[in-house]
Amino acid sequence: QTCALPIFVKLAAIGGGGANNRRKFMYPPDVVYSSDANGSYDAVLTGSGDREHPFEVSVVNRFYMFKDRDVGLSSARTSPIVENDLYDVTPNTVQDGANATARSTAQSNLTASAGWMLTMSTGEKVISGSVTLAGTTFFNTNQPSSVAEATCGSNLGVAYQYAVSYQDASATIDTGAAGLNASDRKVKHEGGGYLPSPVPVVVSLEGRLYQAVISGTEVRMPPQAKLESRYRTYWYIKVD
């Protein structure tokens, strides 16, 4: 009996020799099964950040979603994904486009791309793993106080928790502003420091089950993360 050997291919190459491109990935990726107009793919989600050097500010860190279309037992990939193959969702044009036409164009460009990338602020690093629940991907970052928006702060830096759609990095949880926009992608965690990797949980409250994500003392529930919900089903009989 002949056993097929596993196939290993290089999915992406998004580093470089310059000081600003020396990205480190210190946590395994999160993988979500998905599809778009071009077919099925595995969404591979991961973010860069050297948590061993919290005050380093020269590296441009990003969070990535790579579309791995080799979903079967064979691979047709001839070269790894590079940043030029990705759609830059940092401006959040898919959600915040000036009009419907701009948003539709952004979505079409994203569909045609090999994934997306979200650029962090100066010195900001992804310092945790990520988890996706009900279509929302959660991950945590830390930014040195010296380059954060606040003019003063502790040596613990500024801590943020992100919650974005795994498909296009748009905001999924309204944090207070009118409607969803780029500012809703993250919330600031008071006290700074390194938030632990988010963990999905299911809890029972007053006889109902709820899904949520816990990271340290932060508990967040994404939209549509509902269990035991009932939906109406309609049917009819067609008689010739």
Side-chain angles (χ1 to χ4, degrees):
Q1 182 178 359
T2 302
C3 296
L5 296 176
I7 298 174
F8 296 94
V9 295
K10 189 174 185 179
L11 176 62
I14 38 76
N20 62 330
N21 291 323
R22 295 174 182 172
R23 302 180 183 91
K24 284 188 176 181
F25 296 85
M26 307 191 77
Y27 290 88
D30 184 27
V31 180
V32 181
Y33 306 119
S34 188
S35 63
D36 58 18
N38 295 322
S40 300
Y41 65 88
D42 294 334
V44 181
L45 299 130
T46 186
S48 68
D50 186 358
R51 59 179 293 148
E52 296 177 344
H53 297 88
F55 304 116
E56 198 284 323
V57 297
S58 61
V59 177
V60 178
N61 289 298
R62 296 189 173 99
F63 195 86
Y64 297 91
M65 187 275 274
F66 304 111
K67 295 179 183 178
D68 183 4
R69 296 201 181 272
D70 294 331
V71 295
L73 299 178
S74 61
S75 174
R77 186 177 302 283
T78 58
S79 60
I81 297 171
V82 297
E83 288 195 337
N84 286 339
D85 299 325
L86 303 173
Y87 184 73
D88 186 1
V89 296
T90 308
N92 200 30
T93 313
V94 173
Q95 191 172 48
D96 288 350
N99 51 55
T101 301
R103 292 191 293 272
S104 177
T105 299
Q107 186 62 59
S108 297
N109 292 336
L110 175 60
T111 300
S113 73
W116 53 258
M117 61 181 183
L118 173 63
T119 302
M120 303 290 103
S121 300
T122 301
E124 188 178 8
K125 306 165 184 68
V126 179
I127 47 80
S128 77
S130 61
V131 65
T132 303
L133 180 66
T136 297
T137 299
F138 294 85
F139 62 93
N140 303 320
T141 69
N142 182 275
Q143 184 182 22
S145 298
S146 60
V147 293
E149 295 178 358
T151 56
C152 59
S154 69
N155 285 339
L156 296 177
V158 181
Y160 298 103
Q161 184 180 70
Y162 282 74
V164 299
S165 165
Y166 81 91
Q167 293 178 316
D168 56 21
S170 59
T172 60
I173 301 176
D174 193 340
T175 60
L180 292 171
N181 52 60
S183 64
D184 293 310
R185 284 171 163 171
K186 64 182 181 181
V187 292
K188 181 180 177 181
H189 177 75
E190 297 300 329
Y194 282 7
L195 286 170
S197 294
V199 178
V201 298
V202 177
V203 297
S204 177
L205 299 175
E206 298 181 351
R208 293 289 305 275
L209 296 179
Y210 296 88
Q211 290 179 294
V213 170
I214 297 177
S215 182
T217 59
E218 295 285 340
V219 180
R220 305 187 75 187
M221 187 172 71
Q224 301 177 353
K226 299 178 181 178
L227 298 176
E228 298 181 329
S229 297
R230 293 183 178 182
Y231 300 93
R232 293 179 181 270
T233 300
Y234 299 91
W235 59 270
Y236 69 94
I237 298 176
K238 184 175 181 179
V239 180
D240 293 332

